[in-house]
């Protein structure tokens, strides 16, 4: 019995599946009569209709719900696919966003219709754009539109656009390099019950992409073993579908070398140098379309840069100067020696060597050039300084030369406007640091403010020059030992606060400047003397006490005959006995 019951259930289920019915929603429509704009007090109707496809003709119950601004305002259960919400007298409170939903046999569908997608063109070239229009004719704005660009084996690219007052939207998609067959569709979206309701995708539109030109070809001759001096040729070419504003550009390391317009081939040639090594790029452009091809080029060095050597970099006028140019491990080159000039280099000789008798005017920078197989290379510059004699540098002027009242003589120039400026080979005369004449012999003198140097008193040693270009380095010597060094303009004063017996002796000074010539002064001998007046107050002890005082001083200073002969001055005074109670 149990088996019979199970068999009957299975047969019933099979019959039910055999005669099952199928249906699907095509769309749900909503509209307002007489129109979306209704006069106050006039009647209006909101009509909701379901478009349904069924497998057979059978009755299907519909649950139709109408919402206003997300709130339920009407419900209907009917065997028909439509329902009508009647408003006898419309008021301002009836203004809002209406929506309807239809439910049948567990399936539910809101009202958004399927969008319609229209493409402006069915065929486009790379670099152009595809212009699309998506429409929701039965929908009321505001609406969101989603456009999709669909390529094989890739994720669709989406563009979103919000339309506040229109039920359609227009957008453009660029056609990129490599696009060939493209498909586009669109969707509509709106806000319902604080959520987004999205329509089903529109019809798909197929777009065929044509290449305006093919990827360019870059040929280089020779293709390898390129050495400086050889000619190198470049050819960049393409094939175009239609000649319209085609441009071909050749670049090296992002620098444009050559370009042509409305041609399919570009040719460029040059004599190879080391600077021609790098990445070459052939680029073809038409409108927004662009295609490139790159190649790397390595140029081998033919010979290194030349080296310029001078026999002397600093020399006096009328001395012989030799400049020599050479290339390491390379002899077969054409050499030339030039002098640098702001208006252009001056050729001195087309040779590897140049010998000349130097003058002050030859001071400057020199280079040499070497040429092999039309390749010219330049050496690093070499600076030459030629020093002239003082007597040749001074020229008469309208100024007046005076001697200032100092122990050391300074040469000054007083102009007509009585302004005073230094002439002792300062910057007024030597306008360039390139000229550095040697200093004159310095003179050394001593000054103490007294007729002679006295031990224990201050003393000044002065070393000064009559000419020499600053800065001047002065060094004081006592005997053969350097005692003091300083860098200054043209006079150096060394001051001792107290002259001691250890400071006596022979002194001289040495002066030098950047001419690297040191000049020594004549020596001067300093002999310090004691000049004491020893006074004793004669009291009841008498003159014997003064003699003792003299001997005590002689012991302190350790003096010789000079102090022994120092005079003692005596002064007699009368001193009364001290009152021990005075001042209390």
């Amino acid at each position: 019995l149990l088996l019979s019951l199970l068999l009957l259930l299975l047969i019933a289920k099979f019959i039910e599946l055999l005669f099952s019915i199928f249906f699907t929603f095509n769309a749900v429509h909503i509209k307002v009569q007489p129109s979306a704009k209704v006069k106050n007090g006039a009647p209006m109707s909101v009509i909701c209709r379901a478009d349904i496809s069924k497998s057979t003709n059978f009755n299907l119950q519909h649950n139709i719900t109408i919402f206003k601004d997300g709130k339920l305002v009407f419900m209907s259960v009917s065997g028909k696919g439509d329902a009508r919400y009647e408003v006898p007298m419309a008021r301002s409170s009836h203004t809002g966003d209406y929506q309807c939903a239809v439910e049948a046999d567990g399936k539910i569908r809101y009202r958004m219709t399927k969008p319609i997608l229209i493409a402006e063109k069915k065929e486009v070239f790379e670099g152009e754009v595809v212009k699309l229009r998506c429409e929701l004719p039965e929908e009321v704005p505001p609406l969101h539109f989603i456009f999709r660009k669909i390529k094989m084996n890739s994720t669709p690219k989406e563009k979103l656009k919000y339309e506040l007052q229109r039920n359609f939207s227009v957008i453009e998609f660029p056609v990129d390099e490599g696009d060939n067959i493209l498909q586009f569709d669109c969707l509509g979206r709106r806000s319902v019950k604080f959520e987004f309701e999205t329509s089903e995708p529109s019809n798909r539109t197929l777009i065929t992409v044509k290449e305006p030109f093919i990827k360019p070809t870059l040929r280089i001759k020779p293709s390898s073993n390129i050495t400086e001096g050889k000619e190198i040729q470049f050819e960049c070419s393409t094939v175009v579908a239609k000649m319209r504003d085609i441009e071909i550009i050749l670049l090296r390391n992002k620098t444009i070398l050559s370009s042509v317009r409305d041609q399919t081939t570009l040719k460029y040639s040059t004599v190879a140098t080391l600077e021609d090594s790098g990445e070459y790029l052939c680029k073809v452009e038409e409108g927004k379309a662009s295609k490139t091809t790159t190649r790397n080029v390595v140029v081998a060095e033919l010979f290194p840069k030349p080296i310029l050597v001078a026999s002397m970099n600093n020399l006096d006028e009328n001395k012989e100067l030799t400049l020599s140019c050479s290339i390491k491990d390379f002899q077969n080159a054409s050499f030339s020696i030039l002098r640098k000039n702001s208006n252009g280099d001056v050729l001195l000789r087309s040779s590897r060597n140049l010998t000349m008798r130097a003058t002050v005017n030859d001071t400057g920078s020199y280079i040499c050039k070497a040429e092999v197989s039309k390749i010219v290379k330049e050496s690093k510059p070499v600076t030459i300084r030629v020093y002239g004699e003082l007597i040749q540098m001074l020229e008469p002027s309208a100024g007046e030369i005076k001697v200032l009242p100092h122990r050391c003589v300074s040469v000054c120039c007083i102009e007509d406007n009585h302004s005073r400026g230094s002439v002792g080979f300062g910057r007024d005369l030597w306008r360039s640091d390139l000229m550095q004449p040697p200093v004159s012999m310095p003179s050394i003198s001593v000054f103490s403010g007294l007729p002679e140097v006295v031990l224990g008193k201050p003393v000044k040693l002065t070393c000064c020059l009559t000419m020499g270009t600053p800065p001047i380095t002065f060094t004081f010597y006592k005997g053969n030992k350097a005692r003091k060094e300083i860098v200054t303009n043209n006079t150096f004063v060394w001051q001792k606060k107290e002259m001691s017996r250890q400071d006596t002796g022979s002194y001289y000074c040495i002066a030098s400047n950047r001419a690297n010539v040191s000049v020594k002064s004549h020596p001067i001998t300093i002999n310090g003397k004691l000049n004491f007046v020893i006074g004793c107050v004669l009291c009841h002890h008498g003159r014997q006490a003064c003699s003792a005082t003299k001997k005590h001083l002689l012991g302190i200073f350790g003096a010789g005959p000079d102090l022994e002969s120092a005079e003692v001055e005596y002064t007699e005074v009368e001193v009364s006995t001290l009152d021990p109670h005075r001042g209390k």
Side-chain angles (χ1 to χ4, degrees), residues 2 62 181 209 259 302 335 359 369 402 470 490 494 501:
L2 181 60
H62 304 79
I181 298 177
V209 180
S259 64
L302 180 61
F335 295 94
T359 67
K369 293 183 179 180
K402 287 187 176 181
N490 58 5
W494 181 30
R501 185 166 295 279

Side-chain angles (χ1 to χ4, degrees), residues 313-556:
N313 293 93
N314 300 282
L315 69 160
D316 294 331
E317 195 172 29
N318 293 322
K319 294 286 186 178
E320 187 177 87
L321 173 66
T322 299
L323 299 174
S324 300
C325 187
S326 62
I327 300 176
K328 184 180 179 181
D329 301 328
F330 200 93
Q331 298 296 328
N332 299 325
S334 300
F335 295 94
S336 57
I337 298 178
L338 306 92
R339 178 175 177 176
K340 300 290 290 183
N341 190 285
S342 58
N343 297 323
D345 298 342
V346 178
L347 176 64
L348 301 179
R349 179 170 297 179
S350 296
S351 173
R352 68 167 59 238
N353 298 313
L354 171 63
T355 300
M356 61 183 179
R357 190 69 60 179
T359 67
V360 173
N361 293 332
D362 293 324
T363 295
S365 295
Y366 293 80
I367 59 169
C368 75
K369 293 183 179 180
E371 180 178 351
V372 178
S373 300
K374 298 182 181 181
I375 299 298
V376 179
K377 296 188 178 183
E378 182 178 304
S379 70
K380 292 183 178 179
V382 172
T383 301
I384 303 297
R385 297 181 177 90
V386 182
Y387 303 107
E389 297 179 2
L390 171 64
I391 194 66
Q392 295 173 340
M393 295 299 171
L394 290 174
E395 294 183 359
S397 66
E400 177 184 356
I401 297 178
K402 287 187 176 181
V403 177
L404 302 179
H406 297 298
R407 292 181 181 272
C408 292
V409 176
S410 298
V411 181
C412 296
C413 178
I414 302 176
E415 299 176 348
D416 292 340
N417 59 4
H418 301 292
S419 63
R420 183 171 298 171
S422 173
V423 174
F425 274 92
R427 293 179 182 174
D428 291 339
L429 180 60
W430 298 98
R431 299 188 181 274
S432 171
D433 289 338
L434 297 178
M435 300 183 178
Q436 294 287 338
V439 299
S440 63
M441 177 181 286
S443 62
I444 187 171
S445 60
V446 62
F447 177 74
S448 65
L450 298 172
E452 55 188 359
V453 176
V454 178
L455 297 178
K457 298 292 183 179
V459 66
K460 294 180 181 178
L461 289 173
T462 303
C463 187
C464 62
L465 301 173
T466 56
M467 54 188 165
T469 303
I472 308 296
T473 301
F474 290 96
T475 308
F476 272 104
Y477 287 83
K478 181 189 176 189
N480 293 323
K481 185 177 180 181
R483 297 295 298 273
K484 191 74 173 179
E485 180 176 296
I486 196 170
V487 178
T488 183
N489 288 335
N490 58 5
T491 301
F492 176 34
V493 178
W494 181 30
Q495 181 173 343
K496 295 284 292 182
K497 292 184 179 180
E498 290 186 2
M499 187 70 180
S500 66
R501 185 166 295 279
Q502 288 79 10
D503 294 324
T504 61
S506 178
Y507 286 83
Y508 65 91
C509 68
I510 293 178
S512 65
N513 64 0
R514 284 182 289 185
N516 295 325
V517 178
S518 299
V519 184
K520 178 180 177 182
S521 71
H522 291 297
I524 185 173
T525 301
I526 301 178
N527 292 318
K529 292 186 178 182
L530 289 172
N531 189 12
F532 283 3
V533 176
I534 304 173
C536 288
V537 178
L538 293 180
C539 55
H540 62 279
H541 295 293
R543 293 178 181 270
Q544 292 180 352
C546 290
S547 298
T549 302
K550 176 180 178 182
K551 291 180 181 179
H552 178 66
L553 292 173
L554 291 174
I556 293 175

Side-chain angles (χ1 to χ4, degrees), residues 184-202:
F184 295 89
D185 67 7
C186 68
L187 299 93
R189 180 178 291 173
R190 63 173 300 164
S191 178
V192 179
K193 293 185 180 180
F194 308 106
E195 295 181 356
F196 277 112
E197 174 194 350
T198 303
S199 73
E200 62 179 301
S202 70

Side-chain angles (χ1 to χ4, degrees), residues 236 246-251 255-263 265-268 283 285:
C236 181
I246 289 285
E247 186 173 11
I248 304 177
I249 306 170
L250 180 65
L251 304 93
T255 300
I256 296 178
L257 302 177
S258 181
S259 64
V260 294
R261 187 180 294 273
D262 291 331
Q263 296 183 34
T265 302
L266 177 150
K267 293 184 179 181
Y268 173 80
K283 189 174 188 179
E285 294 181 332

Side-chain angles (χ1 to χ4, degrees), residues 94-112:
H94 293 105
T95 301
D97 184 14
Y98 287 84
Q99 184 184 20
C100 75
V102 179
E103 186 270 334
D105 197 23
K107 295 183 179 181
I108 189 168
R109 180 65 182 271
Y110 288 94
R111 62 162 290 274
M112 285 205 74

Side-chain angles (χ1 to χ4, degrees), residues 111 113-116 134-140 143 167-168:
R111 62 162 290 274
T113 58
K114 183 177 181 178
I116 301 172
C134 186
E135 299 179 353
L136 285 167
E138 298 184 24
E139 306 298 335
V140 178
L143 296 168
N167 60 359
F168 68 91

